Amino acid sequence: MSRFAPKLLGFSLLCALALPAAQADTPAPATKTPTPKELLEKSRPEEWRKPDPKNLLQMQLPQGKVLIELAPDFTPLHAENIRTLVKEHYFDKLAIVRVQDNFVTQWADPEDDDKGDKNKLRPLGKAKKTLPPEYTRAIDAKLPWTALPDGDVYAPEVGFSEGFPVARDKATGQEWLTHCYGMVGVARDVGPETGSGSSLYAVIGQAPRGLDRNLAVAGRVLQGMEFLSALPRGTGPLGFYDKPEQRVTIESVRLASDLPESERAKIEVLRTDSTTFAALIEAKRNRRDDFYRNPAGKIDLCGISIPVREAKAAP
């Protein structure tokens, strides 16, 4: 085989010399797009919102704190049931039972596993065992809406509402939360009504949009995704931990509204109906700088992260 190398090398050099100069190096853009950092630094205070403490979960893991914002305008029954579970300290000392690579991290009562002892299941207290499936809701013109201009494979229209990625179908008059990275869904059995919120999962991989409208999406992680996505992967079927010692114990889950003001997370979320957020979308769609010399001109719904920052102290 080596005797053919000189001929192949000569052919490669000829091909390289024949390439037009424009293909070898695209000139740097004359006008560069602002970076996300630059746009956020120029944002106005009124473009940021503080999550409602009644909808903000603070989950304490050994690795750190995870902040989850519920979405009661999209899944009100599930949000209320999760609040009830949290108020009764249902999740305290339960565990992360599943981490499936490029898919989800799931937490629940370990006894609810196929190998668990159903007689040892933690009682749900005042929370409901089953709920109607809240996979979609009627489009509400009163809710804020920022449309994404690039279309979508899974829905006729997509955009953002109240800080959440949302899909819409005007023909049916329905809208729904989507399974983007960091979204929190309600695990269930085969029956659509079997999800109560006692077992939840967070998307840690490429967006599994095929789950949209098949599971209730109850909220999204605002901070602490690194504590959910960097956990060791489960070696059992579907990424479940097959040994109890592999599980990560949940120290506590609290509603911010039930905590003293001094213990509440101090964060702000960029409003998705703000001018700055619209500028962020455009900057990501048509990024031009010394590195990005060929802008994509498009971006998908799950390719946009919603900025979160520490709340600034009042003057």
Side-chain angles (χ1 to χ4, degrees), residues 267-311:
I267 59 169
E268 296 177 331
V269 183
L270 185 67
R271 297 180 61 93
T272 51
D273 58 346
S274 66
T275 301
T276 295
F277 186 71
L280 279 173
I281 292 176
E282 184 57 29
K284 286 179 174 291
R285 292 177 68 242
N286 290 295
R287 185 170 179 178
R288 294 180 177 88
D289 54 34
D290 291 337
F291 187 87
Y292 287 91
R293 300 191 179 187
N294 294 292
K298 294 180 181 294
I299 193 166
D300 66 276
L301 178 67
C302 295
I304 301 172
S305 58
I306 300 169
V308 177
R309 71 182 185 184
E310 297 298 320

Coordinates of all heavy atoms in Angstrom, one line a residue, residues 267-311:
I267 N -32.4 35.0 43.0 CA -32.1 35.0 41.6 C -33.1 35.8 40.8 O -34.2 36.1 41.2 CB -32.1 33.5 41.1 CG1 -33.5 32.8 41.3 CG2 -31.0 32.7 41.7 CD1 -33.7 31.5 40.6
E268 N -32.7 36.1 39.5 CA -33.6 36.8 38.6 C -33.5 36.0 37.3 O -32.4 35.5 36.9 CB -33.2 38.2 38.4 CG -33.3 39.1 39.6 CD -32.8 40.5 39.4 OE1 -31.9 40.7 38.5 OE2 -33.3 41.4 40.0
V269 N -34.6 36.0 36.5 CA -34.7 35.3 35.2 C -35.0 36.4 34.2 O -35.9 37.2 34.4 CB -35.7 34.2 35.2 CG1 -35.7 33.5 33.9 CG2 -35.5 33.3 36.4
L270 N -34.3 36.3 33.1 CA -34.6 37.3 32.0 C -35.9 37.0 31.4 O -36.3 35.9 31.1 CB -33.5 37.2 30.9 CG -33.6 38.2 29.7 CD1 -33.3 39.6 30.3 CD2 -32.7 37.9 28.6
R271 N -36.7 38.0 31.3 CA -38.1 37.9 30.7 C -38.0 37.5 29.3 O -37.2 38.1 28.5 CB -38.9 39.2 30.9 CG -39.1 39.6 32.3 CD -39.9 40.9 32.3 NE -41.2 40.7 31.7 CZ -42.4 40.4 32.3 NH1 -42.3 40.2 33.6 NH2 -43.5 40.2 31.7
T272 N -38.7 36.5 28.9 CA -38.6 36.0 27.5 C -39.5 36.9 26.6 O -39.5 36.6 25.3 CB -39.0 34.5 27.4 OG1 -40.3 34.3 28.0 CG2 -38.0 33.6 28.0
D273 N -40.2 37.8 27.1 CA -40.9 38.8 26.3 C -40.2 40.2 26.2 O -40.8 41.2 25.9 CB -42.4 39.0 26.7 CG -42.5 39.4 28.2 OD1 -41.5 39.4 28.9 OD2 -43.6 39.8 28.6
S274 N -38.9 40.2 26.6 CA -38.2 41.4 26.7 C -37.4 41.7 25.4 O -37.1 40.8 24.6 CB -37.2 41.3 27.8 OG -36.2 40.3 27.6
T275 N -37.0 42.9 25.2 CA -36.2 43.3 24.0 C -34.9 42.6 24.1 O -34.3 42.2 23.0 CB -36.0 44.8 24.0 OG1 -37.3 45.5 24.0 CG2 -35.2 45.3 22.8
T276 N -34.3 42.5 25.2 CA -32.9 41.9 25.3 C -33.0 40.4 24.9 O -32.1 39.9 24.2 CB -32.4 42.0 26.7 OG1 -32.1 43.4 27.0 CG2 -31.1 41.3 26.9
F277 N -34.1 39.7 25.3 CA -34.2 38.3 25.0 C -34.3 38.2 23.4 O -33.7 37.3 22.8 CB -35.3 37.6 25.7 CG -35.4 36.2 25.5 CD1 -34.5 35.3 26.0 CD2 -36.4 35.6 24.7 CE1 -34.5 33.9 25.8 CE2 -36.4 34.2 24.4 CZ -35.5 33.4 25.0
A278 N -35.1 39.0 22.8 CA -35.3 39.0 21.4 C -33.9 39.2 20.7 O -33.6 38.6 19.7 CB -36.3 40.0 20.9
A279 N -33.1 40.1 21.3 CA -31.8 40.4 20.7 C -30.9 39.2 20.9 O -30.1 38.9 20.0 CB -31.2 41.6 21.4
L280 N -31.0 38.5 22.0 CA -30.2 37.3 22.2 C -30.5 36.2 21.2 O -29.6 35.6 20.6 CB -30.5 36.7 23.6 CG -29.8 37.3 24.8 CD1 -30.3 36.7 26.1 CD2 -28.3 37.1 24.7
I281 N -31.8 36.1 20.9 CA -32.2 35.1 19.8 C -31.6 35.4 18.5 O -31.0 34.6 17.8 CB -33.8 35.1 19.7 CG1 -34.4 34.5 20.9 CG2 -34.2 34.2 18.5 CD1 -35.9 34.5 20.9
E282 N -31.7 36.7 18.1 CA -31.1 37.1 16.8 C -29.6 37.0 16.8 O -29.0 36.6 15.8 CB -31.5 38.6 16.5 CG -31.1 39.1 15.2 CD -31.6 38.2 14.0 OE1 -32.7 37.6 14.2 OE2 -30.9 38.1 13.0
A283 N -28.9 37.3 17.9 CA -27.5 37.2 18.0 C -27.1 35.7 17.8 O -26.0 35.4 17.2 CB -27.0 37.7 19.3
K284 N -27.8 34.8 18.4 CA -27.5 33.4 18.3 C -27.8 32.8 16.9 O -27.1 32.0 16.3 CB -28.2 32.6 19.3 CG -27.7 32.7 20.7 CD -28.5 31.9 21.7 CE -27.9 32.0 23.1 NZ -26.6 31.3 23.2
R285 N -28.9 33.4 16.2 CA -29.2 32.9 14.9 C -28.2 33.4 13.8 O -27.9 32.7 12.9 CB -30.6 33.5 14.5 CG -31.8 32.9 15.3 CD -33.1 33.5 14.9 NE -33.5 33.2 13.6 CZ -33.6 34.0 12.5 NH1 -33.4 35.3 12.7 NH2 -34.0 33.6 11.4
N286 N -27.7 34.6 14.0 CA -26.8 35.2 13.0 C -25.6 35.7 13.6 O -25.2 36.8 13.5 CB -27.6 36.3 12.3 CG -28.7 35.8 11.4 OD1 -28.4 35.1 10.4 ND2 -29.9 36.2 11.7
R287 N -24.9 34.8 14.3 CA -23.7 35.1 15.0 C -22.5 35.4 14.0 O -22.2 34.5 13.2 CB -23.3 34.1 16.0 CG -22.1 34.5 16.9 CD -21.9 33.5 18.0 NE -20.7 33.8 18.8 CZ -20.4 33.1 19.9 NH1 -21.1 32.1 20.3 NH2 -19.3 33.5 20.6
R288 N -21.9 36.5 14.2 CA -20.8 36.9 13.3 C -19.7 37.5 14.2 O -19.9 38.5 14.8 CB -21.2 37.9 12.2 CG -22.2 37.4 11.2 CD -22.5 38.5 10.2 NE -23.4 38.1 9.2 CZ -24.7 38.1 9.2 NH1 -25.3 38.6 10.4 NH2 -25.5 37.7 8.2
D289 N -18.5 36.9 14.2 CA -17.4 37.4 14.9 C -16.1 36.7 14.3 O -16.2 36.0 13.2 CB -17.5 37.2 16.4 CG -17.7 35.7 16.8 OD1 -17.2 34.8 16.1 OD2 -18.4 35.5 17.8
D290 N -15.0 36.9 14.9 CA -13.8 36.3 14.3 C -13.8 34.8 14.2 O -13.1 34.2 13.4 CB -12.6 36.7 15.2 CG -12.3 38.2 15.1 OD1 -12.7 38.8 14.0 OD2 -11.7 38.8 16.0
F291 N -14.6 34.1 15.1 CA -14.7 32.7 15.1 C -15.8 32.2 14.2 O -15.7 31.4 13.3 CB -14.9 32.1 16.5 CG -14.8 30.6 16.6 CD1 -13.6 30.0 16.7 CD2 -16.0 29.9 16.5 CE1 -13.5 28.6 16.8 CE2 -15.9 28.5 16.6 CZ -14.7 27.8 16.7
Y292 N -17.0 32.8 14.4 CA -18.2 32.4 13.6 C -18.3 33.3 12.4 O -18.9 34.4 12.4 CB -19.5 32.6 14.5 CG -19.7 31.5 15.5 CD1 -19.1 31.7 16.8 CD2 -20.3 30.3 15.2 CE1 -19.3 30.7 17.8 CE2 -20.4 29.3 16.2 CZ -19.9 29.5 17.5 OH -20.1 28.6 18.4
R293 N -17.7 32.8 11.3 CA -17.7 33.6 10.1 C -18.8 33.2 9.1 O -19.0 33.9 8.1 CB -16.4 33.5 9.4 CG -15.2 34.0 10.3 CD -13.9 34.1 9.6 NE -12.9 34.7 10.5 CZ -11.7 35.0 10.1 NH1 -11.3 34.9 8.8 NH2 -10.8 35.4 10.9
N294 N -19.5 32.1 9.4 CA -20.6 31.7 8.5 C -21.8 31.4 9.4 O -22.0 30.4 10.0 CB -20.2 30.4 7.8 CG -19.1 30.6 6.8 OD1 -19.3 31.3 5.8 ND2 -18.0 30.1 7.1
P295 N -22.6 32.5 9.6 CA -23.8 32.3 10.5 C -24.8 31.3 10.1 O -25.0 31.1 8.9 CB -24.4 33.7 10.6 CG -24.0 34.3 9.3 CD -22.6 33.8 9.0
A296 N -25.4 30.6 11.0 CA -26.4 29.5 10.7 C -27.6 30.1 10.1 O -28.3 29.6 9.2 CB -26.7 28.7 11.9
G297 N -28.0 31.3 10.6 CA -29.2 31.9 10.1 C -30.5 31.3 10.7 O -31.6 31.7 10.4
K298 N -30.3 30.3 11.5 CA -31.5 29.7 12.2 C -31.0 29.2 13.5 O -29.9 29.0 13.8 CB -32.0 28.5 11.3 CG -32.6 28.8 10.0 CD -33.0 27.6 9.3 CE -33.6 27.9 7.9 NZ -34.9 28.6 8.0
I299 N -32.0 28.9 14.4 CA -31.8 28.2 15.6 C -33.0 27.5 16.1 O -34.1 27.9 15.8 CB -31.3 29.2 16.7 CG1 -30.7 28.5 17.9 CG2 -32.5 30.1 17.2 CD1 -30.0 29.4 18.9
D300 N -32.8 26.3 16.7 CA -34.0 25.6 17.2 C -34.4 26.0 18.6 O -33.6 26.6 19.3 CB -33.7 24.1 17.1 CG -32.6 23.7 18.1 OD1 -31.4 23.8 17.8 OD2 -33.0 23.2 19.2
L301 N -35.6 25.6 18.9 CA -36.2 26.0 20.2 C -35.3 25.7 21.4 O -35.1 26.5 22.3 CB -37.6 25.4 20.4 CG -38.3 25.7 21.6 CD1 -38.7 27.2 21.7 CD2 -39.6 24.8 21.7
C302 N -34.8 24.5 21.4 CA -34.0 24.0 22.5 C -32.5 24.4 22.5 O -31.7 24.1 23.3 CB -34.1 22.5 22.6 SG -35.7 21.9 23.0
G303 N -32.2 25.2 21.5 CA -30.8 25.7 21.4 C -30.6 27.1 22.0 O -29.6 27.7 22.0
I304 N -31.6 27.5 22.7 CA -31.6 28.8 23.4 C -31.8 28.7 24.9 O -32.8 28.1 25.3 CB -32.7 29.8 22.9 CG1 -32.5 30.0 21.4 CG2 -32.7 31.1 23.6 CD1 -33.7 30.7 20.7
S305 N -30.8 29.0 25.6 CA -30.9 29.0 27.1 C -31.4 30.3 27.6 O -31.0 31.4 27.1 CB -29.5 28.6 27.7 OG -28.5 29.5 27.4
I306 N -32.2 30.3 28.7 CA -32.8 31.5 29.2 C -31.9 32.0 30.4 O -31.7 31.2 31.3 CB -34.2 31.3 29.7 CG1 -35.0 30.8 28.5 CG2 -34.8 32.5 30.3 CD1 -36.4 30.3 28.8
P307 N -31.3 33.2 30.3 CA -30.4 33.6 31.3 C -31.0 33.7 32.7 O -32.1 34.2 32.9 CB -29.9 35.0 30.8 CG -30.2 34.9 29.3 CD -31.4 34.1 29.2
V308 N -30.2 33.3 33.7 CA -30.5 33.4 35.1 C -29.3 34.1 35.8 O -28.2 33.7 35.5 CB -30.8 32.0 35.7 CG1 -31.1 32.2 37.2 CG2 -32.0 31.4 35.0
R309 N -29.6 35.0 36.7 CA -28.5 35.6 37.4 C -28.8 35.8 38.9 O -30.0 35.7 39.3 CB -28.1 37.0 36.8 CG -29.2 38.0 37.0 CD -28.8 39.3 36.3 NE -29.8 40.4 36.6 CZ -29.8 41.6 36.1 NH1 -28.8 41.9 35.2 NH2 -30.6 42.6 36.5
E310 N -27.8 36.1 39.7 CA -28.1 36.4 41.1 C -28.8 37.8 41.1 O -28.4 38.7 40.4 CB -26.8 36.5 41.9 CG -26.0 35.1 41.9 CD -26.8 34.1 42.6 OE1 -27.4 34.4 43.7 OE2 -26.8 32.9 42.2
A311 N -29.8 37.9 42.0 CA -30.5 39.1 42.1 C -29.7 40.2 42.7 O -28.9 39.9 43.6 CB -31.8 38.9 42.9

